[in-house]
């Protein structure tokens, strides 16, 4: 797991004002909510006094009150505002105590939480860390567009979830459907990749010829060219952009670590294609759900084998993106350890070939 990055905590539509909600990120329990003005917040779900979950307490729209001893904390800063048990002659500076606040932003109907490096001992006296990078957002290319969201739980570690997300060879075997592609459509592919900051890119290319939706798009857009670009960016972000003249489709998919053996996949997609189609968002969500459910079932079956800690291998070229991911992750951890500039595992453009 990597710290010092933004992670999706939960769908923002779930949060109503003046209520408290539980979430888990990187094995850290969080309490989330909205203040009176509707702005979201995130605190560690543990009172720094005796560890009582703050989610069991009372929230007045501005401060959280612990249900055990009534300590009060500001919802956004986590700063302690009241310790009821103190007498008038006791001068404990309780405003130096913090309940572990996290930077929190709302984008694309998700609550994003910035999880910094692991806090030191005595974190009850630590202010919230300021994020050094902006929260991720799905790219858009026009003012009017449709949007859809999808979330699914995966019974595997975040690493297996991520390399499954970028695996180019499983499609014909996992994602078979009459309206998408068949197992018999497998053929050789060749794609160019290039390094980008904190990640790598599958350079702009013509979409697969064995995909029915792309064939439909080619007829609908009547564009000279249709191109797809796919980016992977640490710690867990996959961006896909399809351009066809004035029409476009963009998605941001993340794999969020919940615990060491449990993660969650979230997809948000925006597009101006087929905006006139009734129930277009629902139809796209149905297609996404089919794909994600196939992946979830595969991960569930894979987890049976991983319980026994088998020997695993990654091959070239189909598994090279997975190798880059692990190398990027190692390079980022080394940078945090030494303070030196991150050494990217890719020295330049690379062409990979595989069959799918």
């Amino acid at each position: 797991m990597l710290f010092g990055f933004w992670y999706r905590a939960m769908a923002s539509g779930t949060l109503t004002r003046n209520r408290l909600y539980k979430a888990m990120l990187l094995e850290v329990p969080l309490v989330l909510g909205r203040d009176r003005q509707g702005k979201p917040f995130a605190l560690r779900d543990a009172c720094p006094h005796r560890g009582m979950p703050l989610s069991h307490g009372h929230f007045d729209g501005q401060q959280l009150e612990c249900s055990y001893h009534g300590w009060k904390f500001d919802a956004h800063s986590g700063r302690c505002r009241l310790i009821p048990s103190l007498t008038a002659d006791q001068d404990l500076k309780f405003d130096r105590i913090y309940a572990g606040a996290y930077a929190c932003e709302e984008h694309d109907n998700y609550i994003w939480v910035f999880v910094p490096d692991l806090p030191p001992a005595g974190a009850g006296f630590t202010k919230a860390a300021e994020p050094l990078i902006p929260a991720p957002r799905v790219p858009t290319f026009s003012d009017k567009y449709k949007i859809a969201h999808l979330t699914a739980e995966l019974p595997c570690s975040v690493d297996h979830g991520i390399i499954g997300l970028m695996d180019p060879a499983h499609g014909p075997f996992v994602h078979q459907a009459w309206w998408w592609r068949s197992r018999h459509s497998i053929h050789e592919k060749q794609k160019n990749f290039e390094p980008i900051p904190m990640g790598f890119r599958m350079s702009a290319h013509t979409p697969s010829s064995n995909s029915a939706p792309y064939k439909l798009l080619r007829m609908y857009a009547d564009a000279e060219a249709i191109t797809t670009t796919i980016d992977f960016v640490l710690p867990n972000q996959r961006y896909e952009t399809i351009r066809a003249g004035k029409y476009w489709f963009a998605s941001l998919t993340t794999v969020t670590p919940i615990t060491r053996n449990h993660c969650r996949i979230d997809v948000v997609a925006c597009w101006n294609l087929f905006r006139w189609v009734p129930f277009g968002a629902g139809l796209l969500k149905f297609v996404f759900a089919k794909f994600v459910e196939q992946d979830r079932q595969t991960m569930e079956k894979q987890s049976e084998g991983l319980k026994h800690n088998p020997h695993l291998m990654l091959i070239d070229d189909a598994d090279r993106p997975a190798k880059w991911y692990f190398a990027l992750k190692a390079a980022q951890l080394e940078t945090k350890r030494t303070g030196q500039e991150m050494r990217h595992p890719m020295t330049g453009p690379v062409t990979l070939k595989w069959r799918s």
Side-chain angles (χ1 to χ4, degrees), residues 13-85:
T14 304
L15 272 65
T16 58
R17 297 186 186 187
N18 299 350
R19 290 191 60 186
L20 300 175
Y21 298 84
K22 291 185 177 184
M24 182 77 74
L25 285 180
L26 290 84
E27 299 190 340
V28 176
L30 300 177
V31 55
L32 297 99
R34 294 186 189 276
D35 62 17
R36 293 171 183 170
Q37 288 71 44
K39 185 179 179 180
F41 63 86
L43 300 176
R44 190 179 184 96
D45 194 15
C47 178
H49 177 214
R50 300 279 292 278
M52 172 65 71
L54 292 173
S55 56
H56 292 312
H58 174 71
F59 179 50
D60 63 5
Q62 184 176 356
Q63 297 180 359
L64 280 76
E65 180 184 87
C66 179
S67 62
Y68 198 0
H69 297 93
W71 288 31
K72 288 189 176 183
F73 302 91
D74 180 83
H76 292 287
S77 69
R79 180 179 296 219
C80 185
R81 297 301 187 185
L82 176 68
I83 297 180
S85 62

Side-chain angles (χ1 to χ4, degrees), residues 215-261:
K215 294 178 182 178
L216 179 62
L217 172 59
R218 187 174 291 110
M219 291 187 295
Y220 171 76
D222 192 26
E224 293 183 2
I226 300 175
T227 60
T228 298
T229 303
I230 299 175
D231 291 358
F232 174 80
V233 181
L234 283 180
N236 61 348
Q237 303 159 30
R238 180 188 185 274
Y239 297 85
E240 181 169 358
T241 303
I242 302 171
R243 303 296 300 269
K246 66 179 180 180
Y247 298 106
W248 56 271
F249 170 94
S251 65
L252 168 57
T253 304
T254 58
V255 181
T256 299
I258 307 302
T259 65
R260 296 182 186 276
N261 297 304

Side-chain angles (χ1 to χ4, degrees), residues 111-129:
I111 300 298
W112 292 86
V113 173
F114 181 79
V115 182
D117 290 335
L118 286 175
F125 297 95
T126 304
K127 295 182 180 180

Side-chain angles (χ1 to χ4, degrees), residues 146-150 179-180 213 242 248-251 267-274 277-292:
K146 298 284 189 177
I147 188 168
H149 306 83
L150 183 69
W179 42 265
W180 184 258
I242 302 171
W248 56 271
F249 170 94
S251 65
V267 183
V268 55
C270 298
W271 69 95
N272 72 346
L273 292 159
F274 305 109
V277 175
F279 314 110
L283 178 61
L284 185 64
K285 190 171 182 178
F286 171 80
V287 173
F288 276 3
K290 288 290 185 182
F291 271 73
V292 173

